[in-house]
């Protein structure tokens, strides 16, 4: 019974993915959802922006001044600001830091501000904007303070900021957090300007708070410098006390070491060294005197040994010449002259008289006496020189002993000199630091109250005339776009999450079956089930009738003339519309030559039987049960209608339908019907709930699966094909039912009069 010819696929090649046309079709199908979501969200946005309270933003501009400010000639503890990006951005954060904001809140009395404490909530603002008199909160009760133009007084900023810790833990209070959220500061492009912004519902308060923040920031700078000077002064004072104690101890250690070593200072030098120098000079002088004394003694001795005493009778002049010059005193000269005179007289008398002459003898006696006197005087000189030499040697020896003693003392001192010098160096460096700190303390004491801030307010905040937020037009526009995108996203999500067949074009991709036809959805609620089963007759040019023709074309494709054909129309689940398609397909076959039989094989529900015009009381159930003959149960409504075999009006289910379908009677019945009819169409029960269709599949040539687009789960269709087992090869393809006008797939492939009629009928 199965045809051997190859069935041709009448659909287009399946697409691989989701195309633009599919997305457009999805959006058309879900247009109502998209419009509803867009309308609701946009309406919510409009209501929100209408009741959203206005906020005004005031801006104060502060300029950082990195130029040196020399009020005095002393250097400050704080260095001047550097005009670099990190410094400027850091100052912008400092301008809105906790201490500054605490000082501003204390100065303006904002700790009880209703706007910050939340006493004037959004609901009150909504009522006020809607025209209900709820009273405007007193937002302009902030006391006015003059700008900071005079030098900061000690304790100003500390009193305002709560002595750095915040009054009563203000940072932990919601009012401080609310105030902090309304403040911002940023650098103005690449300049040295900082914008300080404050937003509020009251424009006057916004301007006053922004200006006060800028002025308080200036005051904080001055206070920070003064505090730094005070802290540095206290540290220096503490260090001075420590250095004074250290210096006194070092000087005491130096004096004790000098006293222990016997080192004393006198006229810019140490006594031992000066004494050593003097002793060395004295020793040199003593050695010189000793040498002179030794020379005089030797000369005197030689003079005495080789003088007048060695050569009696020698001329007096030679005796005088032999006396060294150092000994030629007046006495020696007188004695030498006397000796010379006596010897000259004696020489004259020797010539004149004999040696026995008394005059000659007297003259020689006078000469001898003069020589003896001279020799005696020379002996005295030699003795004196000897004594002087001995004295000089003794003096030199004593000086040499004292010098050795001094050298040993100095060597002992030199052995501890490194310790003394180390103490002196340490004491010197300590003294220098001590003197420098004394000078620095004096400088800071003079300049502590002469501090100038490194910034100035160049533009105080003015009262804004227009609110900075909300941007109602932009918000509504963004909300509209977002609502449209949200609607589209929701629609696409619902489409993509749908487990059913997404579209006819994706049938083969979804369930791996060739698409036979895409049947449009008949949406007219006034039509009855019987009217739906006669669409081919009532609207022959409609899209539904054209889809039925496509199904027949697929069934007859490759069918030889005169060849009998048995087709089963089945679905995976109930309610897929296969009965309507089967009835219209039978009506279409009946309009052509040949006998066509429509069998309602669903003996459990009998949809075709219930809505058929002239269905007899007996049907397939009675034939298989042996209670009636087939020819008695088959009826034809009219000459141009197909033949119809109902299931049964009131089956008693004495025997299960599956057992009757599997009986040999069913095989014989199908053989009998195949001999009498050219085309047999079987409306079978759903495949998955019951096994009836799986049994009927053994008796047919082709199987057509009917599924509803976006309703029938793809997994159920796959399971139905798997349930058919070896009969799955008989499946010709799938008919997608329930196609609406938003789907991209067109059965005819072009717009024609028939499609127009079909749309009108739909």
């Amino acid at each position: 019974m199965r045809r051997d010819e190859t069935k041709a696929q009448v659909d287009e090649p399946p697409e691989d993915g989701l195309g633009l046309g599919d997305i457009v079709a999805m959006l058309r199908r879900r247009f109502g959802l998209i419009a509803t979501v867009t309308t609701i969200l946009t309406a919510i946005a409009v209501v929100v922006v209408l009741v959203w309270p206005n906020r005004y933003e005031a801006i104060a501009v502060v300029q950082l001044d990195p130029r040196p400010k020399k009020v005095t000639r002393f250097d400050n503890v704080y260095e001047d600001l550097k005009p670099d990006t990190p410094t400027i951005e850091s100052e912008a954060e400092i301008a809105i830091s906790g201490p500054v904001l605490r000082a501003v809140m204390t100065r303006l009395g904002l700790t009880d501000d209703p706007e910050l404490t939340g006493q004037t909530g959004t609901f009150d603002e909504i009522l006020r904007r809607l025209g209900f008199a709820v009273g405007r909160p007193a937002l302009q009760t902030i006391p006015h303070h003059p700008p900071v133009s005079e030098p900061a007084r000690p304790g100003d900023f500390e009193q305002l900021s709560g002595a750095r810790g915040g009054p009563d833990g203000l940072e932990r209070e919601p009012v401080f957090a609310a105030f902090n959220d309304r403040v911002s500061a940023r650098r103005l492009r690449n300049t040295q300007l900082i914008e300080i912004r404050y937003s509020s519902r009251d424009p006057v308060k916004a301007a006053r708070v922004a200006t006060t923040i800028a002025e308080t920031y200036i005051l904080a700078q001055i206070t920070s410098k003064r505090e730094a000077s005070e802290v540095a002064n206290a540290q220096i004072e503490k260090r001075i006390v420590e250095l004074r104690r250290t210096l006194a101890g070092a000087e005491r250690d130096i004096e004790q070491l000098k006293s222990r070593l016997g080192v004393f200072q006198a006229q810019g030098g140490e006594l031992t060294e000066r004494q050593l120098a003097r002793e060395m000079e004295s020793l040199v002088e003593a050695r010189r005197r000793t040498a002179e004394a030794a020379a005089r003694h030797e000369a005197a001795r030689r003079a005495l040994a080789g003088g007048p005493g060695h050569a009696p009778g020698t001329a007096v002049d030679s005796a005088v010449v032999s006396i060294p010059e150092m000994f030629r005193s007046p006495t020696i000269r007188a004695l030498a002259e006397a000796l010379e005179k006596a010897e000259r007289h004696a020489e004259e008398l020797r010539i004149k008289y004999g040696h026995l002459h008394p005059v000659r003898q007297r003259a020689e006696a006078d000469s001898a006496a003069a020589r003896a006197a001279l020799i005696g005087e020379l002996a005295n000189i030699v003795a004196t020189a000897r004594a002087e030499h001995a004295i000089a040697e003794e003096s030199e020896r004593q000086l040499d002993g004292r010098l050795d003693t001094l050298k040993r003392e100095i060597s002992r001192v030199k052995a501890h000199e490194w310790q003394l010098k180390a103490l002196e160096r340490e004491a010197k460096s300590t003294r220098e630091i001590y003197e420098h700190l004394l000078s620095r303390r004096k400088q800071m004491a003079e300049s502590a109250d002469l501090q100038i801030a490194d910034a100035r307010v160049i533009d105080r905040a003015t009262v804004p005339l227009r609110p900075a937020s909300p941007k109602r037009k932009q918000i509504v526009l963004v909300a509209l776009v977002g609502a449209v995108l949200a609607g589209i996203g929701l629609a696409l999500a619902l489409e993509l999450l749908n487990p059913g067949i997404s579209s006819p074009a994706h049938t083969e991709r979804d369930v791996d079956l060739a698409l036979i036809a895409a049947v449009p959805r008949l949406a007219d609620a006034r039509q009855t089930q019987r009217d739906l089963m006669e669409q081919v007759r009532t609207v022959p040019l409609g899209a539904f009738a054209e889809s039925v023709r496509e199904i027949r074309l697929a069934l007859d494709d490759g069918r030889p003339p005169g060849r009998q054909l048995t087709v089963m129309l089945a679905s995976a689940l109930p309610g897929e519309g296969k009965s309507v398609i089967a009835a219209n397909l039978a009506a279409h076959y009946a309009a052509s030559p040949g006998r066509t039989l429509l069998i309602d094989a669903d003996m459990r529900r009998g949809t075709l039987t219930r809505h058929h015009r002239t269905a007899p009381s007996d049907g397939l159930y009675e034939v298989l049960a042996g209670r009636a003959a087939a020819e008695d149960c088959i009826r034809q409504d009219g000459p141009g209608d197909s033949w119809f075999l109902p299931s049964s009006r009131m089956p008693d289910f004495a025997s299960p339908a599956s057992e009757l379908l599997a009986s040999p009677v069913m095989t014989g019945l199908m053989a009998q019907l195949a001999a009498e009819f050219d085309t047999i169409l079987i409306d079978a029960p759903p495949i998955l709930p019951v096994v009836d269709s799986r049994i009927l599949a053994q008796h047919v040539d082709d199987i057509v699966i009917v599924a509803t687009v976006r309703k029938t789960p793809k997994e159920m269709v796959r399971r139905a094909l798997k349930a058919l087992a070896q009969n799955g090869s008989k499946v010709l393809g799938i008919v997608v039912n329930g196609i609406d006008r938003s789907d991209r797939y067109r059965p005819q492939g072009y717009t024609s009069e028939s499609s127009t009629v079909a749309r009108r009928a739909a």
Side-chain angles (χ1 to χ4, degrees):
M1 295 173 57
R2 180 70 172 94
R3 289 181 301 162
D4 297 331
E5 293 84 355
T6 304
K7 305 177 184 63
Q9 295 183 356
V10 297
D11 57 339
E12 298 178 355
E15 299 180 4
D16 294 334
L18 191 65
L20 180 61
D22 298 317
I23 296 177
V24 173
M26 291 180 186
L27 299 181
R28 290 178 60 188
R29 286 192 299 270
R30 301 285 183 172
F31 179 77
L33 174 64
I34 297 174
T36 302
V37 172
T38 302
T39 302
I40 294 175
L41 295 182
T42 305
I44 293 174
V46 170
V47 173
V48 169
V49 298
L50 287 179
V51 301
W52 200 335
N54 290 333
R55 284 199 173 273
Y56 297 87
E57 190 174 72
I59 303 174
V61 182
V62 175
Q63 180 189 13
L64 298 182
D65 188 6
R67 295 172 296 182
K69 289 166 274 301
K70 290 292 184 181
V71 180
T72 63
R73 60 186 180 88
F74 307 132
D75 294 332
N76 293 324
V77 177
Y78 260 23
E79 293 185 358
D80 296 319
L81 293 178
K82 297 180 181 179
D84 54 6
T85 299
T87 300
I88 297 175
E89 292 180 353
S90 299
E91 290 299 316
E93 294 297 326
I94 293 174
I96 57 174
S97 60
V100 174
L101 297 185
R102 288 197 303 271
V104 172
M105 295 185 68
T106 303
R107 182 178 182 183
L108 300 180
L110 296 177
T111 54
D112 297 326
D113 191 337
E115 182 180 356
L116 299 179
T117 57
Q119 296 177 4
T120 57
T122 305
F123 182 72
D124 295 336
E125 184 67 18
I126 292 174
L127 294 179
R128 188 185 64 79
R129 294 184 62 83
L130 292 178
F132 297 96
V134 295
R136 182 177 180 86
L139 299 176
Q140 302 184 17
T141 59
I142 303 175
H144 177 69
H145 290 263
V148 179
S149 58
E150 67 280 356
R153 295 183 300 275
D156 287 349
F157 186 75
E158 289 85 346
Q159 294 176 0
L160 293 175
S161 61
R164 303 180 189 173
D168 301 329
L170 185 58
E171 294 90 339
R172 297 189 298 271
E173 295 183 2
V175 63
F176 181 82
F179 182 73
N180 191 24
D181 292 340
R182 289 165 170 78
V183 180
S184 64
R186 68 179 184 90
R187 181 184 183 185
L188 187 60
R189 293 182 292 276
N190 294 325
T191 64
Q192 297 175 7
L193 304 178
I194 296 176
E195 283 186 348
I196 299 176
R197 298 172 178 261
Y198 184 78
S199 62
S200 173
R201 300 179 190 175
D202 184 357
V204 176
K205 181 172 70 172
R208 191 168 297 168
V209 171
T211 301
T212 305
I213 292 175
E215 294 172 350
T216 307
Y217 164 64
I218 304 298
L219 181 62
Q221 275 197 347
I222 299 174
T223 304
S224 298
K225 288 188 175 183
R226 188 179 65 250
E227 289 178 350
S229 298
E230 293 175 355
V231 172
N233 201 3
Q235 294 291 336
I236 289 177
E237 182 66 28
K238 180 180 178 181
R239 185 59 179 160
I240 286 175
V241 174
E242 295 176 355
L243 288 176
R244 185 185 296 118
R245 188 181 303 110
T246 302
L247 182 59
E251 291 178 346
R252 184 172 56 253
D253 293 341
I254 291 174
E255 294 301 326
Q256 290 177 356
L257 182 60
K258 284 185 176 181
S259 178
R260 188 170 66 253
L261 297 178
V263 178
F264 303 97
Q265 300 288 337
Q267 298 180 355
E270 296 181 358
L271 291 179
T272 54
E273 293 182 354
R274 292 176 61 84
Q275 186 178 359
L276 177 63
R278 288 195 299 270
E279 292 293 338
M280 291 183 69
E281 293 176 357
S282 299
L283 180 60
V284 172
E285 183 64 22
R287 287 178 178 176
R288 184 184 63 77
R289 289 195 302 268
T290 301
E292 291 179 353
R296 285 195 301 271
H297 176 248
E298 183 64 22
R301 189 184 60 79
R302 283 198 304 268
L304 182 62
H310 288 279
T314 305
V316 177
D317 55 353
S318 62
V320 175
V321 170
S322 62
I323 298 174
E325 183 66 26
M326 66 184 71
F327 300 119
R328 292 182 182 182
S329 62
T331 302
I332 294 298
R333 289 183 179 280
L335 292 176
E337 290 177 356
L339 177 60
E340 182 180 4
K341 185 177 179 182
E343 285 184 351
R344 189 180 306 114
H345 179 67
E347 185 67 26
E348 291 176 354
L349 292 180
R350 283 189 196 99
I351 296 173
K352 185 184 285 190
Y353 299 106
H355 64 282
L356 296 178
H357 192 277
V359 176
R360 177 181 175 183
Q361 290 181 353
R362 192 168 45 251
E364 290 180 354
D366 292 337
S367 174
R371 181 179 292 107
L374 180 60
I375 293 172
E377 186 64 26
L378 289 175
N380 291 334
I381 291 174
V382 171
T384 301
R386 185 184 302 110
E388 291 178 354
H389 183 207
I391 292 171
E393 286 181 346
E394 182 64 24
S395 177
E396 179 183 356
R397 191 165 44 253
Q398 292 178 359
L399 287 174
D400 198 7
R402 288 199 300 271
L403 184 61
D404 291 340
T405 302
L406 285 175
K407 287 181 178 180
R408 288 193 297 272
E409 183 67 19
I410 291 175
S411 298
R412 186 178 65 84
V413 173
K414 291 294 183 181
H416 297 81
E417 185 179 14
W418 64 270
Q419 185 178 359
L420 180 62
K421 289 185 177 180
L423 291 175
E424 289 177 344
R425 285 194 301 269
E426 182 177 357
K428 181 180 178 181
S429 61
T430 304
R431 186 179 299 104
E432 291 176 352
I433 297 174
Y434 175 72
E435 293 174 353
H436 174 73
L437 291 181
L438 285 176
S439 176
R440 185 58 176 164
R441 183 185 63 178
K442 184 65 175 177
Q443 293 177 4
M444 288 190 296
E446 293 294 333
S447 61
D449 296 329
L450 301 176
Q451 301 295 338
I452 297 179
D454 294 325
R456 61 191 181 96
V457 181
I458 64 171
D459 188 5
R460 288 179 171 82
T462 59
V463 178
L465 301 179
R466 296 181 179 178
S469 66
K471 306 291 185 182
R472 290 182 170 84
K473 293 182 180 180
Q474 292 87 333
I475 292 175
V476 172
L477 181 60
V478 171
L480 177 60
V481 175
V484 172
L485 295 178
I488 293 175
L490 180 60
L492 293 177
L494 292 177
E495 289 286 341
L496 295 177
L497 293 177
N498 194 318
I501 298 173
S502 57
S503 67
H506 296 153
T507 302
E508 184 172 353
R509 182 196 66 184
D510 293 340
V511 296
D512 196 21
L513 283 178
L515 178 65
I516 297 177
V519 180
R521 179 166 54 90
L522 301 176
D524 193 348
R526 294 173 297 178
Q527 292 181 330
T528 62
Q529 187 72 12
R530 183 173 297 177
D531 295 334
L532 296 178
M533 294 181 178
E534 296 180 356
Q535 281 290 308
V536 173
R537 293 191 180 94
T538 57
V539 190
L541 299 180
F544 185 87
E546 189 65 25
S547 301
V548 173
R549 296 187 188 98
E550 287 191 65
I551 299 175
R552 177 177 177 178
L553 177 62
L555 294 174
D556 293 341
D557 187 21
R559 175 184 178 182
R563 177 68 179 270
Q564 193 275 338
L565 179 62
T566 301
V567 180
M568 182 180 72
L569 282 80
S571 62
L573 300 173
E576 303 293 346
K578 57 179 176 52
S579 298
V580 174
I581 295 176
N584 284 275
L585 183 60
H588 181 59
Y589 267 107
S592 303
R595 290 162 56 87
T596 302
L597 174 64
L598 176 61
I599 301 176
D600 185 2
D602 189 357
M603 292 180 288
R604 301 171 187 270
R605 291 188 176 181
T607 303
L608 289 176
T609 302
R610 289 198 311 270
H611 300 287
H612 203 272
R613 290 177 295 177
T614 59
S617 57
D618 295 334
L620 179 61
Y621 184 86
E622 286 74 17
V623 173
L624 295 179
R627 299 176 183 176
E631 56 271 12
D632 296 333
C633 298
I634 297 175
R635 295 289 186 269
Q636 186 178 21
D637 294 337
D641 293 335
S642 62
W643 297 87
F644 177 64
L645 175 60
S647 59
S648 180
R649 282 190 178 273
M650 297 180 61
D652 56 7
F653 294 104
S655 298
S658 57
E659 295 182 1
L660 296 176
L661 293 175
S663 64
V665 178
M666 180 63 184
T667 304
L669 176 62
M670 292 303 299
Q672 177 186 351
L673 296 177
E676 296 179 4
F677 295 94
D678 299 312
T679 304
I680 300 176
L681 301 177
I682 301 176
D683 181 19
I687 298 175
L688 294 180
V690 294
V691 299
D692 299 2
S693 296
R694 307 175 201 179
I695 299 173
L696 288 171
Q698 303 174 5
H699 305 288
V700 301
D701 298 319
D702 292 324
I703 300 174
V704 175
I705 303 297
V706 178
T708 304
V709 67
R710 293 180 300 278
K711 177 182 176 183
T712 306
K714 299 185 288 290
E715 182 61 27
M716 295 295 101
V717 177
R718 298 191 189 99
R719 290 178 59 184
L721 294 176
K722 186 176 181 181
L724 292 175
Q726 67 271 15
N727 293 317
S729 59
K730 297 180 181 181
V731 177
L732 182 65
I734 187 170
V735 173
V736 179
N737 193 16
I739 303 299
D740 54 26
R741 63 184 63 185
S742 63
D743 286 296
R744 182 168 56 129
Y745 184 82
R746 295 286 183 182
Q748 290 94 345
Y750 60 89
T751 302
S752 62
E753 182 181 359
S754 61
S755 60
T756 303
V757 175
R759 285 198 299 271
R760 290 177 180 176

